[in-house]
Amino acid sequence: MSVAAPFTPPRAAATSSRAPGRPSIVKLTWLLGRPSAQSAATLILPGVAFAVTTALILIVLGGVLMFWRWTIADAITYQALSMLALALLIVPLLSLGGSAARLSARRRDDRLATLRLLGATPGVVVRMTVLESSLVAVAGALVGVVLYVALMPLVGLVHFAGRAIGAGELWVGFGPLALVVVAIAALAAVSAAVGLRAVAISPLGVRTRQNAPKTGWIAPVAGVVIVVAAFAGLNLLGAITEEAGGIITMIFVLAGCFGVAVAALNLIGPFAIRVMARIQLRTARTAEKLIAARGILESPKAAWRLCSGLAMTSFVAVVAGTGVSFAGDADGDPIFIDMRTGIVMTLVISFVMVACSIGVSQAAAVLDRRDLYVSLDRLGMPRPTVETARRRQVMLPVLLVSLGSAILGGILVFPLVGLALIIAPASLALIAGSFLVGIALVWLALRSTRPVLTRVLREPERV
């Protein structure tokens, strides 16, 4: 007489070891994340953004470290001004990296929410997402390192202190280079893990798109408080400098105030866009206006990310414009000549960042909203109507945040230079030119994503 094997509870069996035949986390991530299982664009787009982010961060960091190695008589002034440029650029660059980590988040959330509904544990979902995002980030960062090395000779042609700086001066070293790559991967992993909270809590709500992102009032209030504190600090700059002494103290106070003001834009922007979209929704009389307002209200934070780079550049343009006017009053002084050169480089880096951010984000937005565009197309909505709605959905926030950021920049600069330098011809010309270039970049990005929308409408199941 045979004795029956003892009964093992299912939970105990499941926790004892991985069941035979069950794929590992790495294999499961590859099966669901490889280009044949999802559009290659959902992997290439964030990879491109990470590559550009890494290259720009390394170039900016290389310039700052170069100035801190100088031993010339005015080295301390160059070092302080480099910190001011770093404060104006580092927050937008990190924001671009964070946006890259969230590109095509809706598609990833859909796939992972489906796995949760099929029985996958939250731990499996988290590990899969962090692994996929980190691998994409590392691959993009390594491409960014190559791009940084390729750009070093070109940037090395720029003149400071009466001579070309040279490519070798921009080399950050292997240690900082490795730290930047690790930081990019960590940023991607953290952004991915934070974005998974909704999937872990309510996979059905995410899968059926019932969990619309909320934009509360705490963030904009905190942003306003930060701006008021920065304005107060700039008003007290003279007293602070007189007590602490030295131009270095003044520059570091300036860098801190402008840096926190740029960060505050990320807190105020989504709320302002939501208010604007609500007004647009109440007054909408055409299908284009209605669709655009609804699209913005679906996720004001996503609408902000589409134009946040241009908002940062508008702020930098006002500060740079007044700096050009200020430096123009001292023609012939080598320091002021180099100051103008640094201002131009800061704006160039800002526009490269904007071009990357807008182009990648616009293409990702088409993929994220593919179900809406396909549904409108199947219902018979003309393609020009869809394009007009998509253009309004982008351009309205762009105009709002560009104007608001410029006004904020003017408010913060006013205690330092007064109204005369803000509205000086050189300053206004630089600000107006920055606006025109930024809006042109947005328009070109929208035009360049038309083929992506065409493919979505033609083959919705393949993207």
Side-chain angles (χ1 to χ4, degrees):
M1 180 176 178
S2 61
V3 179
F7 172 74
T8 303
R11 179 171 297 180
T15 57
S16 60
S17 62
R18 182 166 58 87
R22 181 181 298 177
S24 65
I25 297 297
V26 175
K27 185 175 181 180
L28 189 58
T29 302
W30 166 251
L31 289 174
L32 294 176
R34 68 192 193 280
S36 60
Q38 61 173 321
S39 171
T42 59
L43 296 177
I44 294 174
L45 291 178
V48 169
F50 281 124
V52 174
T53 301
T54 303
L56 292 179
I57 288 177
L58 289 172
I59 288 174
V60 172
L61 181 60
V64 172
L65 294 177
M66 174 194 70
F67 288 123
W68 282 91
R69 288 193 298 266
W70 280 12
T71 57
I72 62 176
D74 296 319
I76 194 68
T77 302
Y78 286 96
Q79 293 162 4
L81 291 174
S82 71
M83 296 303 297
L84 178 59
L86 180 63
L88 290 172
L89 290 174
I90 193 63
V91 173
L93 287 172
L94 292 178
S95 297
L96 175 58
S99 297
R102 292 185 292 267
L103 289 179
S104 302
R106 171 63 71 182
R107 184 171 183 87
R108 183 197 65 205
D109 287 351
D110 284 349
R111 291 187 292 113
L112 298 176
T114 301
L115 287 176
R116 286 279 288 116
L117 293 172
L118 291 175
T121 64
V124 170
V125 170
V126 170
R127 290 195 296 272
M128 285 180 57
T129 303
V130 170
L131 178 61
E132 178 183 339
S133 299
S134 300
L135 289 176
V136 173
V138 170
L142 293 177
V143 174
V145 170
V146 176
L147 181 61
Y148 155 68
V149 173
L151 289 175
M152 283 171 56
L154 179 62
V155 181
L157 297 176
V158 177
H159 282 66
F160 278 103
R163 63 179 180 85
I165 58 179
E169 291 291 323
L170 296 171
W171 175 245
V172 298
F174 289 104
L177 191 146
L179 286 176
V180 170
V181 174
V182 172
I184 291 293
L187 178 64
V190 171
S191 298
V194 171
L196 274 178
R197 289 178 299 178
V199 178
I201 295 172
S202 178
L204 183 59
V206 172
R207 193 64 186 91
T208 58
R209 305 195 177 191
Q210 296 173 357
N211 188 19
K214 301 294 191 301
T215 305
W217 57 268
I218 297 179
V221 169
V224 171
V225 171
I226 291 173
V227 170
V228 171
F231 182 79
L234 292 173
N235 271 292
L236 297 174
L237 182 62
I240 295 173
T241 304
E242 183 178 350
E243 182 177 347
I247 188 176
I248 304 306
T249 302
M250 180 184 70
I251 295 295
F252 274 97
V253 172
L254 283 173
C257 291
F258 284 130
V260 298
V262 171
L265 287 173
N266 284 309
L267 301 176
I268 302 173
F271 179 79
I273 288 176
R274 187 184 70 172
V275 173
M276 180 270 298
R278 284 184 171 178
I279 296 174
Q280 175 73 17
L281 183 63
R282 294 193 189 100
T283 60
R285 295 294 182 269
T286 63
E288 296 92 334
K289 293 182 178 180
L290 181 63
I291 294 172
R294 289 288 189 185
I296 295 171
L297 287 174
E298 179 185 345
S299 179
K301 290 183 179 180
W304 163 253
R305 287 194 294 268
L306 289 175
C307 56
S308 60
L310 188 56
M312 308 297 180
T313 301
S314 298
F315 181 90
V316 172
V318 174
V319 179
T322 55
V324 167
S325 297
F326 178 73
D329 293 338
D331 281 333
D333 191 321
I335 291 182
F336 286 97
I337 294 174
D338 290 342
M339 185 184 297
R340 286 200 296 268
T341 302
I343 289 170
V344 171
M345 288 193 65
T346 301
L347 279 176
V348 168
I349 293 174
S350 295
F351 281 123
V352 171
M353 177 194 66
V354 167
C356 172
S357 175
I358 292 175
V360 174
S361 298
Q362 289 300 326
V366 174
L367 297 177
D368 290 341
R369 299 177 185 275
R370 66 195 179 283
D371 290 345
L372 170 63
Y373 295 135
V374 170
S375 298
L376 293 175
D377 181 68
R378 300 299 185 265
L379 290 173
M381 178 170 286
R383 175 71 180 270
T385 303
V386 176
E387 291 286 358
T388 302
R390 193 163 72 95
R391 184 169 59 252
R392 288 185 63 86
Q393 186 174 331
V394 175
M395 295 307 298
L396 285 176
V398 161
L399 295 175
L400 173 68
V401 302
S402 297
L403 182 60
S405 301
I407 292 174
L408 177 60
I411 291 173
L412 293 179
V413 169
F414 178 77
L416 303 175
V417 298
L419 186 61
L421 283 181
I422 296 177
I423 62 174
S427 177
L428 291 179
L430 185 60
I431 295 171
S434 299
F435 277 14
L436 292 176
V437 171
I439 292 174
L441 286 174
V442 175
W443 185 82
L444 289 174
L446 282 169
R447 296 280 298 183
S448 67
T449 55
R450 282 188 175 185
V452 181
L453 180 59
T454 300
R455 183 187 176 191
V456 166
L457 298 179
R458 186 176 63 245
E459 299 175 307
E461 71 283 351
R462 293 181 62 86
V463 294

